[in-house]
């Protein structure tokens, strides 16, 4: 079956299921870092120091993500989107499976946290290349008028992965504490082997997007797509990275940090935090496609800006809700932080970031733009939030200020970014790379735009 005749439902399924599996592995680590890794891999630390050390290994993966974006961006622009995606899936699931087999500190000493950190780096490296490829597989196949909606389905892989990880961890948390710490926490990681098989089968059935194969055959691929991207499109990469601050910081404060705060600071059961996270992720599954649909109607930037506005609203009231210790009120935090703020960002991201770059460097540009802010936003968010509370003697207002700053950074970056809705793929980049407009994904409304703008 040619790329042009592949049903969009199969394309969307390939991107969404594969991404859900990779995010399952990624979030599984974050949940484990918040509730178990301090005991298994850092038992000689105090409770607070052990939690910070475990969250630090969580942050390592974020610093690996831009590296993965550069490597797989190059690979995806030179060889193809599909091959890169199959490789990232294998690396992610394989490293998660090995974490499930990793002996603890009591068995192999300091080698245990060292190996844990290495495997976490591999996870981040793989995820750095996953999102860009998944986004392009869907968006480059999509009809122009529905790129926002179809691209948003990739974003559904985030809450789906979070739901799977939280549900899996919630199930093994029902075990007696001794069994949970001894072997129960390992079972969700070992399940990654099964998910790898499922994801590989699904992704093998999708061909390369025609827009990529046409460029590859007519003009050839870029010899150095990363250099070309940074030379011509560095501004788009920078703005895309800064736009990620609000959704990334909001997400990890409302998920990983929330569980840590509920357990360590409020003294509540981890099940309260896990349940709140599940409900917030469930709402995301509903709101992401809606926000994607909305981005096809009013634009990518206005929808994305809702993320920053929602985070700014949540920041000053978050701890008022959490400190009530009432589960229903605690749940409001992830409902806003995940179901509205994060959903409004991830919904238009695939189409928005793909539309910012030309075909020959689209994988490198979209992947790097998406992952550039990861180390400084999502990676450090739970660590900074935990440290701010500890350093101020239990004060929570610095975390609220931190969230407000993130919202402001994203909002200003989006004000400076171009609106891409209604433009042909590559038009925002000036179509330097696409000598002629491709018929793939360009409808009768947008095609004349190339001629009228002279791009």
């Amino acid at each position: 079956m040619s790329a042009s005749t592949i049903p969009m439902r199969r394309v969307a399924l390939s991107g969404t299921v594969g991404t859900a599996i990779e995010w399952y592995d990624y979030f599984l680590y974050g949940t484990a870092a918040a509730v178990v890794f301090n005991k298994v891999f850092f038992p000689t630390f105090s409770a607070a120091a052990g939690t910070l050390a475990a969250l630090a290994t969580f942050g390592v993966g974020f610093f690996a993500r831009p590296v993965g974006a550069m490597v797989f961006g190059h690979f995806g622009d030179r060889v193809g989107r599909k091959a890169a995606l199959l490789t990232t899936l294998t690396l992610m699931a394989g490293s998660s499976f090995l974490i499930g087999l990793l002996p603890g500190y009591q068995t192999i000493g300091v080698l245990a946290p060292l190996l844990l950190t290495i495997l976490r780096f591999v996870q981040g490296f793989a995820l750095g290349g996953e999102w860009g490829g998944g986004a392009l597989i869907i968006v480059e196949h999509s009809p122009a008028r529905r790129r926002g909606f179809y691209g948003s389905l990739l974003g559904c892989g985030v809450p789906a992965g979070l739901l799977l990880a939280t549900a899996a961890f919630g199930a093994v948390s029902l075990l007696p504490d001794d069994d949970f710490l001894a072997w129960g926490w390992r079972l969700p990681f070992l399940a990654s082997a099964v998910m790898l098989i499922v994801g590989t089968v699904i992704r093998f059935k999708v061909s390369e997007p025609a827009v990529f194969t046409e460029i590859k055959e007519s003009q050839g691929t870029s010899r150095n797509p990363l250099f070309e991207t940074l030379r011509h499109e560095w501004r788009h990469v920078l703005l895309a990275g800064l736009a990620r601050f609000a959704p990334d910081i909001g997400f990890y404060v409302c998920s990983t940090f929330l569980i840590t705060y509920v357990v360590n600071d409020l003294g509540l059961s981890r099940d309260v935090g896990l349940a709140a996270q599940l409900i917030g992720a469930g709402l995301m599954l509903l709101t992401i496609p809606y926000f994607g649909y909305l981005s096809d109607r009013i634009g990518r930037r206005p929808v994305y800006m809702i993320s920053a506005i929602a985070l700014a609203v949540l920041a000053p009231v978050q701890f008022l809700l959490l400190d009530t210790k009432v589960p229903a009120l605690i749940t409001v935090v992830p409902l806003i932080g995940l179901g509205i703020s994060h959903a409004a960002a991830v919904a238009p991201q695939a189409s928005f970031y793909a539309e910012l770059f030309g075909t020959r460097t689209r994988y490198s540009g979209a992947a790097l733009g998406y992952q550039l802010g990861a180390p400084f936003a999502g990676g450090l968010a739970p660590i900074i939030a935990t440290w701010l509370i500890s350093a101020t003697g239990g004060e929570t207002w610095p975390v609220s200020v931190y969230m407000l700053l993130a919202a402001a950074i994203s909002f200003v970056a989006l004000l400076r970014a171009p609106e891409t809705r209604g433009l042909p793929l590559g038009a925002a980049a000036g179509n330097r790379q696409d000598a002629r407009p491709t018929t793939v994904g360009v409808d009768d409304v947008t095609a004349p735009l190339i001629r009228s703008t002279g791009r």
Side-chain angles (χ1 to χ4, degrees), residues 213-233:
T213 56
E214 286 181 3
I215 287 290
K216 186 176 182 180
E217 292 170 1
S218 63
Q219 300 181 29
T221 57
S222 171
R223 301 182 75 177
N224 194 329
L226 177 62
F227 175 78
E228 194 172 330
T229 298
L230 294 178
R231 180 182 179 186
H232 296 295
E233 303 301 331

Side-chain angles (χ1 to χ4, degrees), residues 87-145:
T87 304
T88 61
L89 183 62
T90 302
L91 285 174
M92 176 64 84
S95 57
S96 292
F97 180 78
L98 291 176
I99 289 174
L101 297 176
L102 189 61
Y105 185 91
Q106 300 294 353
T107 304
I108 59 174
V110 295
L111 190 60
L114 176 61
L115 291 174
L116 179 69
T117 304
I118 292 173
L119 290 173
R120 180 58 178 175
F121 186 90
V122 174
Q123 280 191 327
F125 178 75
L127 193 65
E130 158 64 28
W131 185 88
L136 300 197
I137 280 287
I138 294 178
V139 173
E140 289 183 337
H141 275 102
S142 298
R145 290 187 177 125

